[in-house]
Structures are given as structure tokens and as C-alpha cells.
């Protein structure tokens, strides 16, 4: 039952991303060339709703869908981890035109060449796992 709930939420998320054109390579290309506000509006809206949602969860001590308390674990503050991680993530996003969410959305929509990007993302994740202890965190 729990997995069906996650599947329904994932399908809804994918439909919203596809219909809003957040998974469109052309929209991402426009964003990186500062030609359109479309993607900035989507990302800014998601950020705003995320911040408001987290604050509501913290203030009202809300519980998860399954009745468990929601805990937010603070992360270590470090400039290098966010700088290098952001550069690598941004370069990958700009090169292939998709971050992890749109990869699944495009695969689900039937754009099969995105499976090459998916394989690259899996390889990158595997390499990160191998090199994790040697990277700045």
C-alpha cells in the first residue's frame, strides 16, 4: 500500500513537470541563455512552497502520512561542498538538458534517448560512491 502511494505521487509529479514544460530541453536552454522567465518561475515557485511547507511542518510539529514525526537534520555548513557540487550538477544539467526529475519524466513520456542520460547519471552516482571519502564534504 505504501509503495502505491509513492507511485501515485510520482506519477502526479511527472504529469505536472511534463505539462508545465519543466522537462523540456528547449525551456532549459532558454533558462541558461536568460531568454525566458518560465523555468525561473517554476523553480522559484517550488522553492517558495518548499520553504513555506517546511516552516509549517516545524511550527505545527506535523507528522508524516504514516503517522511518524518528521525530523529535519541540519547539514554541516561548508562553502566547498556546495560550490563544487553545484558546479558539477549545473554542468551536467546544462550539457544534457535534464536534471534527475526530468530524466524519469522524459523516459516515462517515451523519449527513449534519455536512457543514455540515465545511464550516465547512474555511472556518475556509482563513481561518487567510490570517491566519496576522498571528496570535500
Amino acid at each position: 500500500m505504501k509503495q502505491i502511494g509513492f507511485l501515485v505521487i510520482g506519477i502526479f509529479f511527472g504529469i505536472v513537470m511534463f505539462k508545465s514544460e519543466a522537462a523540456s530541453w528547449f525551456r532549459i536552454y532558454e533558462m541558461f541563455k536568460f531568454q525566458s522567465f518560465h523555468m525561473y518561475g517554476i523553480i522559484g515557485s517550488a522553492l517558495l512552497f518548499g520553504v513555506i511547507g517546511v516552516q509549517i511542518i516545524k511550527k505545527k510539529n506535523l507528522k508524516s502520512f504514516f503517522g511518524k514525526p518528521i525530523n529535519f537534520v541540519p547539514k554541516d555548513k561548508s562553502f566547498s561542498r556546495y560550490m563544487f557540487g553545484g558546479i558539477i550538477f549545473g554542468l551536467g544539467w546544462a550539457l544534457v538538458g535534464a536534471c534527475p526529475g526530468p530524466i524519469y519524466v522524459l523516459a516515462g513520456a517515451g523519449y527513449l534517448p534519455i536512457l543514455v542520460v540515465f545511464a550516465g547519471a547512474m555511472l556518475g552516482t556509482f563513481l561518487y560512491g567510490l570517491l566519496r571519502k576522498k571528496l570535500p564534504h
Side-chain angles (χ1 to χ4, degrees):
M1 187 66 188
K2 186 176 176 181
Q3 285 77 15
I4 292 173
F6 292 140
L7 181 65
V8 170
I9 291 170
I11 290 172
F12 177 73
F13 177 70
I15 290 171
V16 169
M17 283 195 76
F18 192 76
K19 291 293 184 185
S20 69
E21 297 183 2
S24 167
W25 182 88
F26 297 104
R27 289 293 183 185
I28 294 169
Y29 182 72
E30 286 177 342
M31 177 186 73
F32 281 114
K33 290 185 78 176
F34 299 104
Q35 292 177 334
S36 173
F37 181 74
H38 187 91
M39 288 296 291
Y40 295 111
I42 291 172
I43 294 169
S45 300
L47 181 65
L48 180 67
F49 281 113
V51 168
I52 291 170
V54 166
Q55 293 306 315
I56 290 172
I57 290 170
K58 283 181 176 178
K59 293 216 186 241
K60 299 202 177 232
N61 291 324
L62 295 179
K63 296 187 178 188
S64 74
F65 190 70
F66 303 105
K68 295 180 180 176
I70 300 171
N71 297 320
F72 294 96
V73 180
K75 299 192 178 210
D76 295 334
K77 294 184 178 176
S78 165
F79 178 76
S80 62
R81 69 187 305 182
Y82 296 109
M83 181 71 173
F84 294 123
I87 288 172
I88 292 170
F89 182 83
L91 284 174
W93 192 15
L95 286 173
V96 300
C99 62
I103 290 174
Y104 291 107
V105 171
L106 292 172
Y111 294 95
L112 296 182
I114 200 71
L115 294 178
V116 174
V117 174
F118 179 78
M122 290 292 107
L123 178 63
T125 303
F126 178 73
L127 289 175
Y128 172 75
L130 290 177
L131 301 172
R132 185 170 191 258
K133 292 181 181 174
K134 296 177 182 175
L135 297 173
H137 284 95

